[in-house]
Amino acid sequence: MEKKDVKIINQGLEDEMEVWGYRPCPWKMVLVAVGAVCTGGLLFLVLYWLPEWGVRGTCTRTPFIRESQTLLLRSTDEFRRWFRAKVHVMLAPGKRPFDGVDLLSPLHIPNGDSIHSFSALQDELQGKYIHIQPVQVCYFTHHSTKYYWNDLLQNFEVFKGLEDVRVTCSSIHTDHSSGLSKLLQDYRRLFFEVNEIAVKVPSVFKLLIKEVLNPFYIFQLFSVILWSIEQYYYYAAAIVFMSVISIATSLYTVKKQYIMLHDMVATHSIVRVSVCRGTLDVEEAMSTELVPGDVIVIPSNGMIMPCDAVLVHGNCIVNESMLTGESVPVTKTSLPSSGEDGAGVYSIEEHKRHTLFCGTHIIQTRFYTGELVKAVVVRTGFSTEKGQLVRSILYPKPTDFKLYRDAYLFLLCLVGVAGIGFIYTIVLSIINQVPAKTIVVESLDIITITVPPALPAAMTAGIVYAQRRLKRVGIFCISPQRINICGQLNLVCFDKTGTLTEDGLDLWGIQRVENGSFSPPEDDPANETLVRSSFVSCMATCHSLTKLEGELSGDPMDLKMFNATGWILEEPTEEETALHNPIMPTVVRPPKQVLPEVNQEVNLAQNMELSELTLSYEIGIVRQFPFSSALQRMSVVVRKLGEKRMDAYLKGAPEVVASLCAEDTIPESFTETLEFYTRQGFRVIALAHRQLEAKLSWHKVQNLNRDLIETNMEFLGLIIMQNKLKEETSGVLKDLRRANIRTVMVTGDNMLTAISVARDCGMITPHERVIVADATPPKDIHPATINWHYTENHVTSKDNRVESVEISLEDLGHVAYGEQHKQQEQGYHFAMSGRSFAVITEHFPDLVQKLALHATIFARMAPDQKTQLVEVLQSVDYTVGMCGDGANDCGALKRAHSGISLSELEASVASPFTSSTANISCVPNLIREGRAALITSFCVFKFMALYSIIQYLSVTLLYSILSNLGDFQFLFIDVAIILIIAFTNPHLSGLPDLGLPLGPGPELVREMDAPLRCL
């Protein structure tokens, strides 16, 4: 029996909702129809504005949601929004998309070679097998997502894709790598629908109806009709003119945004793809026909991905700028099929380096001879990463801003005042025996005087002017309502690389390890004496660079590192690859040596020997383990020309690389040397090497787990990269600090490097100390702990231990809830890594908000952790801005009150603001204009409300002596005085000096009750 409790869908997710079931009630519908007729259609409008009233007023609650025909949804977030959804029923052979294989098992041949139509299956089964009867499947659609009823869960669920069945990586290779039959594809399409991110551009008529049905425009229509009855045509014409302009502008903006989004998505929505049917058959199909489980062939000349798919054969080089904002090509490798990695459950988040995302551009592929580059479709349509991004744009969360909430509360107060005047006018007119028509007109006129119809247009004017001023300074806005929120920003989070510092890195030098200790720093890795060293070989091979149209392309740091060696990279052509059975490796080699002309006879033999040595020294990259932000390292397996054994090279974060090396190869001064460079703001990369066993063949290496290779390595040394601050950074941060706007650094870089950059740019002043919160997760019987220590080098001469800080949780609570200026007086900041942030969030949740109030540096933060941090800061009543270059900041940019992207790539469509200047000088400009817009909106609201109260009192007093203002008196007051001031006031721009933060939003009701008190 079904539970009668309210159902919760998307539990624990951002779009969690409560669901109630209803069935139509005939007698309620009749009553509503009668009420609508009696109120002239006003009741229908009220039920349209309030969906919960509409459902409850026409339907009866049913305890069995399975039997309901209409659903009432309510979000569980702070906004508590209501939605209405209709339940649909479809007939299908099964109730779940991945039941198809079991359902058709009598005639199913593994890996896709089964019969090709459901009707054919029914004919085949007649007289031999039980006839399959279609079952009813209930579902509803909300925000472009379908929810299906699950009898076992007794709730609605979402089918996202192949991840729903929790397949392992190895099973994707064995069970899903040959494709689906046409029958199974058709069956799954019943649930997943066509593979298309359909952004339908509404017609102008639909947008017009939706805009006109806004309560403010309905009220203006009511006012215009009333004024026309009173023959007050002039002001009525003025209001109609303003409303038409406002509606036309709004329709143009909304229509333009829909068209832009539609055009952006349409570029990859419908393309022709090659789909595998069984082990041998490949057929051409439209991308709209794809479903999770299909296997597609990636062409050698690349394509734009129409879905999310995981690579099972071959490698791809991908441009993911549409999703990440990072234009650097990324190498995608095939999913591991064996070992520990193969036994793990496939997850898009964990296996990003093997997943091709919808909307990304496949630049080129690498493949085996006789085999195609194949990928298994994982998600389609709006379930893809691109689809989720489009959904967040189509259905954004409402802006939670106290000014707007207080404005609505005050309007309700005005409505209450208007109600008093309405009753007073009726009573007074009856006493004075005024005609009935006059009573109706004058009493209703009091309402239009008290609640000014021109208020929405006057409020919008300030935002429009601010948007124009922002455009002049190179800041573009896709969410104008957020401009006012920018006026109250009191905390701004900054990404480091590409935001506070220059995007590129310069090679400062290298420090190799010789005989177990560091040698002196060197500035030229291309030195001839180092050509055959393992250190330079690692620099030349351990990267993800590729050649595109003859030019090296890849990560900027990899480019700097490789170019510093002076080596040459050669990739096999398509013809060369086809001639060999294994995939042809990428080859790197030193540059050819030019024989000197002077003393040629004397040194001829020596030079010939050197030339032959150099020309014969080539290294082929056999296998690549791409860089993983979770692992903070990458590695390659290589073979030197003429050698039987293979070598493994590793590079990554120094702490991580050191943990994978044999202890006797790590210099004793490793920690001190690393701190020496990181304290100066250098970015440090460590290198390591290992010679592999002779028994390892090419085929064995292709199937090896990276953990088996990345162990017991020899530490080679450090690469020191310099990352310079942008010129504008220090000045902007100084302005923000002077304005008492808190600044926070959120980066994926090393902790000490981030602290050094924070000191250099003024985020942390020289006299302030930094306390690192180092949290360790529980292990065995030991609980999770937090160790506190200063970053300054306070050591004792005996045991060489870092000075620790004793901080009790009670002390932290008292400290954390102090004022901002107290923190500056105490002169310290907290810093923590992404690992510590995760541990504290999970095991010390009561400390998260307290630490967030004082922490300034968040290092080694993953993209999702940046979003979590923004949410934590918002939970302690900060108005948060986020400024990033779009690389890994999309989630945080969307979640912040004001996200500012420094990237003009398509990923910035998720950010409310985009700056055409790639530095943080846009932040004070945005805050300045936000404050100007906020102040003008605040002043216009007060002015319009005060004017309506004054006019309300004037007209009420005139009614008492059976008189009223003339048409031209009303016109002079409303147009010459009110509208001119209301529309010229927002022209004021922001002051050059930021000064102190503003706080008018929350004070609106308190400030605005003065006019009411004077009544």
Side-chain angles (χ1 to χ4, degrees):
M1 185 174 176
E2 295 186 350
K3 294 181 180 178
K4 299 184 180 181
D5 300 334
V6 58
K7 303 297 180 184
I8 297 180
I9 57 176
N10 302 326
Q11 194 158 10
L13 301 178
E14 190 179 9
D15 51 353
E16 181 180 278
M17 288 181 292
E18 298 171 324
V19 184
W20 291 269
Y22 287 84
R23 295 181 67 87
C25 179
W27 64 268
K28 283 187 177 182
M29 295 174 73
V30 171
L31 284 180
V32 167
V34 172
V37 171
C38 295
T39 57
L42 183 62
L43 182 59
F44 278 151
L45 282 174
V46 172
L47 298 183
Y48 169 77
W49 293 329
L50 302 170
E52 67 274 26
W53 289 17
V55 173
R56 291 168 180 166
T58 57
C59 303
T60 304
R61 172 90 179 272
T62 172
F64 304 106
I65 294 184
R66 173 71 174 79
E67 300 173 0
S68 59
Q69 296 180 20
T70 301
L71 298 177
L72 189 58
L73 314 173
R74 184 178 69 180
S75 63
T76 58
D77 55 19
E78 66 271 25
F79 303 106
R80 296 283 176 171
R81 293 170 296 163
W82 293 91
F83 304 97
R84 178 176 184 161
K86 185 178 180 181
V87 178
H88 300 273
V89 178
M90 73 172 180
L91 296 178
K95 291 191 175 184
R96 296 172 61 84
F98 297 103
D99 291 345
V101 175
D102 298 331
L103 180 72
L104 308 173
S105 55
L107 297 179
H108 177 66
I109 301 172
N111 268 333
D113 295 324
S114 54
I115 56 180
H116 297 286
S117 70
F118 187 61
S119 59
L121 172 64
Q122 287 184 326
D123 296 339
E124 187 76 20
L125 289 175
Q126 284 181 357
K128 188 174 182 181
Y129 297 99
I130 301 174
H131 184 73
I132 296 179
Q133 293 294 331
V135 294
Q136 288 188 343
V137 180
C138 297
Y139 70 93
F140 72 94
T141 304
H142 176 68
H143 285 178
S144 300
T145 301
K146 271 192 172 184
Y147 296 81
Y148 293 90
W149 179 258
N150 186 319
D151 286 325
L152 294 176
L153 298 176
Q154 288 294 292
N155 201 353
F156 288 97
E157 63 178 341
V158 179
F159 298 132
K160 291 184 177 179
L162 206 58
E163 288 177 290
D164 294 341
V165 290
R166 293 184 60 80
V167 290
T168 62
C169 297
S170 59
S171 68
I172 288 180
H173 281 274
T174 56
D175 301 333
H176 300 275
S177 61
S178 296
L180 300 176
S181 66
K182 188 68 176 172
L183 169 64
L184 285 179
Q185 188 191 54
D186 292 340
Y187 170 65
R188 289 187 184 177
R189 200 179 300 115
L190 291 174
F191 296 89
F192 293 108
E193 296 190 309
V194 294
N195 173 37
E196 185 181 8
I197 303 174
V199 180
K200 297 179 180 177
V201 180
S203 65
V204 175
F205 178 74
K206 283 186 177 180
L207 290 174
L208 178 64
I209 295 298
K210 188 176 180 180
E211 187 73 19
V212 167
L213 291 182
N214 184 292
F216 279 114
Y217 288 123
I218 295 298
F219 179 67
Q220 285 183 337
L221 177 64
F222 164 74
S223 302
V224 167
I225 293 172
L226 187 63
W227 293 331
S228 300
I229 293 173
E230 293 182 275
Q231 297 182 350
Y232 181 35
Y233 300 117
Y234 305 105
Y235 189 59
I239 289 295
V240 169
F241 177 75
M242 286 191 300
S243 298
V244 169
I245 295 295
S246 177
I247 291 172
T249 305
S250 178
L251 289 183
Y252 173 77
T253 304
V254 173
K255 182 87 172 177
K256 185 179 177 182
Q257 288 179 349
Y258 268 110
I259 292 173
M260 285 176 61
L261 189 59
H262 175 270
D263 292 344
M264 184 190 81
V265 173
T267 55
H268 65 268
S269 286
I270 304 176
V271 294
R272 293 198 70 83
V273 293
S274 299
V275 183
C276 296
R277 301 281 184 222
T279 53
L280 298 175
D281 296 337
V282 177
E283 65 179 41
E284 292 289 315
M286 298 305 295
S287 60
T288 51
E289 299 175 15
L290 295 176
V291 296
D294 269 327
V295 176
I296 59 174
V297 177
I298 311 296
S300 58
N301 60 346
M303 65 183 296
I304 294 179
M305 286 297 295
C307 59
D308 288 351
V310 59
L311 268 175
V312 290
H313 290 299
N315 298 342
C316 291
I317 297 168
V318 188
N319 185 343
E320 293 188 327
S321 62
M322 184 174 285
L323 282 181
T324 65
E326 183 61 73
S327 58
V328 175
V330 179
T331 301
K332 302 280 186 173
T333 57
S334 59
L335 192 70
S337 58
S338 59
E340 188 179 336
D341 287 342
V345 175
Y346 172 76
S347 164
I348 279 188
E349 196 61 36
E350 292 180 18
H351 298 93
K352 280 185 176 179
R353 283 291 177 176
H354 313 292
T355 305
L356 307 172
F357 292 104
C358 178
T360 58
H361 183 203
I362 312 295
I363 301 171
Q364 66 182 38
T365 62
R366 302 284 303 280
F367 54 93
Y368 303 86
T369 181
E371 290 194 26
L372 301 170
V373 179
K374 295 181 180 179
V376 178
V377 177
V378 179
R379 292 182 180 179
T380 58
F382 277 99
S383 295
T384 62
E385 291 289 309
K386 184 71 175 178
Q388 295 295 326
L389 174 63
V390 174
R391 279 185 72 237
S392 69
I393 299 169
L394 284 174
Y395 313 105
K397 273 193 171 184
T399 305
D400 182 25
F401 193 37
K402 291 180 180 178
L403 173 68
Y404 300 139
R405 282 187 287 164
D406 289 352
Y408 284 118
L409 285 175
F410 185 75
L411 283 177
L412 287 177
C413 294
L414 289 182
V415 170
V417 172
I420 295 172
F422 179 78
I423 296 170
Y424 169 78
T425 304
I426 292 176
V427 172
L428 188 66
S429 299
I430 292 174
I431 292 173
N432 292 312
Q433 298 180 350
V434 177
K437 180 184 176 182
T438 308
I439 294 176
V440 173
V441 170
E442 289 186 349
S443 57
L444 291 176
D445 198 26
I446 281 289
I447 298 176
T448 65
I449 291 171
T450 313
V451 184
L455 180 61
M459 291 280 286
T460 305
I463 297 175
V464 172
Y465 296 144
Q467 192 173 4
R468 288 179 181 174
R469 290 194 295 268
L470 285 174
K471 194 173 182 180
R472 285 193 212 112
V473 294
I475 301 174
F476 303 94
C477 175
I478 63 171
S479 181
Q481 294 300 324
R482 289 184 183 251
I483 295 177
N484 273 343
I485 302 178
C486 295
Q488 282 202 299
L489 290 181
N490 51 16
L491 183 146
V492 184
C493 297
F494 293 97
D495 181 37
K496 184 181 78 69
T497 307
T499 304
L500 298 175
T501 61
E502 296 289 351
D503 212 358
L505 293 167
D506 295 320
L507 183 71
W508 181 85
I510 62 173
Q511 191 154 12
R512 297 182 298 121
V513 172
E514 290 182 341
N515 302 321
S517 61
F518 281 114
S519 61
E522 301 166 84
D523 59 1
D524 185 16
N527 193 313
E528 288 182 8
T529 59
L530 301 178
V531 168
R532 295 204 110 187
S533 67
S534 295
F535 191 95
V536 172
S537 297
C538 184
M539 289 180 67
T541 57
C542 197
H543 53 71
S544 57
L545 300 178
T546 186
K547 275 197 171 181
L548 298 177
E549 298 179 356
E551 294 290 328
L552 274 178
S553 181
D555 185 88
M557 189 187 73
D558 285 349
L559 273 172
K560 288 281 185 183
M561 185 179 72
F562 182 79
N563 288 334
T565 65
W567 285 39
I568 298 167
L569 181 140
E570 294 178 349
E571 287 186 326
T573 63
E574 190 173 331
E575 292 77 13
E576 288 174 332
T577 305
L579 293 173
H580 296 77
N581 208 12
I583 189 169
M584 280 288 287
T586 298
V587 174
V588 294
R589 58 179 175 79
K592 295 179 181 179
Q593 301 295 318
V594 179
L595 294 177
E597 296 179 3
V598 182
N599 297 329
Q600 187 170 350
E601 294 180 0
V602 177
N603 298 319
L604 183 59
Q606 183 181 350
N607 286 331
M608 285 292 291
E609 184 182 349
L610 178 62
S611 179
E612 289 173 8
L613 175 72
T614 308
L615 288 174
S616 64
Y617 190 64
E618 293 184 354
I619 303 177
I621 302 173
V622 176
R623 188 176 182 194
Q624 183 185 92
F625 296 99
F627 176 79
S628 164
S629 56
L631 300 176
Q632 297 179 18
R633 64 181 187 267
M634 79 162 289
S635 60
V636 291
V637 177
V638 303
R639 172 175 275 166
K640 295 174 185 175
L641 184 65
E643 292 194 10
K644 293 183 179 180
R645 287 194 173 195
M646 296 186 187
D647 294 273
Y649 290 112
L650 171 74
K651 77 167 184 187
E655 308 92 333
V656 175
V657 172
S659 68
L660 300 172
C661 292
E663 288 188 12
D664 58 338
T665 66
I666 303 173
E668 291 183 5
S669 60
F670 169 75
T671 304
E672 292 79 4
T673 305
L674 178 61
E675 285 193 11
F676 172 76
Y677 288 118
T678 53
R679 286 187 193 283
Q680 297 180 66
F682 291 112
R683 183 166 184 179
V684 183
I685 307 295
L687 306 182
H689 164 258
R690 176 189 168 197
Q691 193 172 51
L692 301 179
E693 295 79 7
K695 63 181 180 181
L696 282 178
S697 65
W698 183 92
H699 286 286
K700 286 183 179 178
V701 167
Q702 299 305 316
N703 297 317
L704 267 183
N705 188 334
R706 70 185 296 171
D707 292 336
L708 298 175
I709 291 175
E710 298 170 348
T711 183
N712 198 30
M713 305 196 81
E714 175 193 358
F715 191 81
L716 294 178
L718 304 173
I719 299 176
I720 299 100
M721 312 288 285
Q722 192 173 19
N723 194 198
K724 297 177 182 177
L725 279 177
K726 291 183 178 179
E727 292 181 8
E728 301 82 4
T729 297
S730 298
V732 169
L733 293 180
K734 184 179 179 182
D735 290 343
L736 294 177
R737 187 181 180 92
R738 191 168 62 244
N740 205 19
I741 296 173
R742 185 180 160 197
T743 54
V744 173
M745 185 189 296
V746 190
T747 177
D749 209 343
N750 176 277
M751 170 77 76
L752 293 176
T753 302
I755 293 172
S756 174
V757 171
R759 289 196 182 279
D760 291 343
C761 67
M763 195 175 284
I764 298 174
T765 58
H767 69 274
E768 294 174 331
R769 304 180 75 181
V770 178
I771 301 173
V772 175
D774 187 11
T776 54
K779 188 175 182 181
D780 300 329
I781 60 171
H782 303 289
T785 57
I786 305 178
N787 298 315
W788 315 88
H789 61 84
Y790 290 114
T791 56
E792 287 75 12
N793 196 16
H794 298 284
V795 297
T796 62
S797 58
K798 293 182 180 179
D799 54 9
N800 203 39
R801 290 183 303 175
V802 176
E803 179 184 354
S804 62
V805 188
E806 293 295 331
I807 298 179
S808 68
L809 302 188
E810 291 78 9
D811 291 342
L812 183 62
H814 293 305
V815 167
Y817 284 111
E819 297 295 329
Q820 178 73 18
H821 65 85
K822 290 183 180 178
Q823 174 189 349
Q824 295 173 357
E825 288 173 6
Q826 292 161 351
Y828 68 87
H829 299 259
F830 284 117
M832 70 180 77
S833 65
R835 175 175 170 271
S836 297
F837 181 77
V839 173
I840 294 172
T841 302
E842 182 178 356
H843 300 284
F844 303 95
D846 54 324
L847 290 185
V848 175
Q849 293 186 347
K850 299 174 183 179
L851 276 172
L853 286 168
H854 270 190
T856 303
I857 306 295
F858 294 87
R860 298 292 190 203
M861 294 286 279
D864 59 326
Q865 289 179 322
K866 292 184 180 183
T867 307
Q868 291 174 21
L869 175 62
V870 169
E871 292 174 348
V872 169
L873 293 169
Q874 289 173 332
S875 69
V876 289
D877 286 339
Y878 274 113
T879 306
V880 181
M882 174 72 196
C883 183
D885 60 354
N888 293 312
D889 309 314
C890 285
L893 288 170
K894 283 193 297 181
R895 194 69 190 93
H897 289 108
S898 173
I900 313 157
S901 172
L902 302 186
S903 166
E904 293 189 73
L905 296 168
E906 288 182 277
S908 65
V909 77
S911 176
F913 301 94
T914 301
S915 173
S916 60
T917 55
N919 60 64
I920 64 171
S921 62
C922 60
V923 175
N925 286 333
L926 185 60
I927 294 174
R928 198 175 292 117
E929 293 302 337
R931 289 182 176 183
L934 180 60
I935 285 293
T936 53
S937 296
F938 190 61
C939 292
V940 164
F941 195 99
K942 288 199 294 184
F943 176 75
M944 295 288 286
L946 193 59
Y947 129 75
S948 65
I949 292 294
I950 292 171
Q951 197 173 59
Y952 164 79
L953 292 174
S954 303
V955 171
T956 305
L957 289 173
L958 288 172
Y959 279 176
S960 66
I961 58 172
L962 302 180
S963 181
N964 199 356
L965 295 172
D967 288 354
F968 283 99
Q969 289 175 311
F970 272 123
L971 188 66
F972 179 78
I973 294 171
D974 293 340
V975 178
I977 298 178
I978 304 305
L979 291 186
I980 290 177
I981 295 176
F983 282 91
T984 54
N985 182 46
H987 272 289
L988 300 173
S989 59
L991 289 172
D993 187 14
L994 286 178
L996 293 176
L998 296 182
E1003 310 298 329
L1004 180 62
V1005 171
R1006 193 177 70 188
E1007 295 258 346
M1008 291 302 299
D1009 65 357
L1012 297 179
R1013 285 200 303 269
C1014 76
L1015 293 176

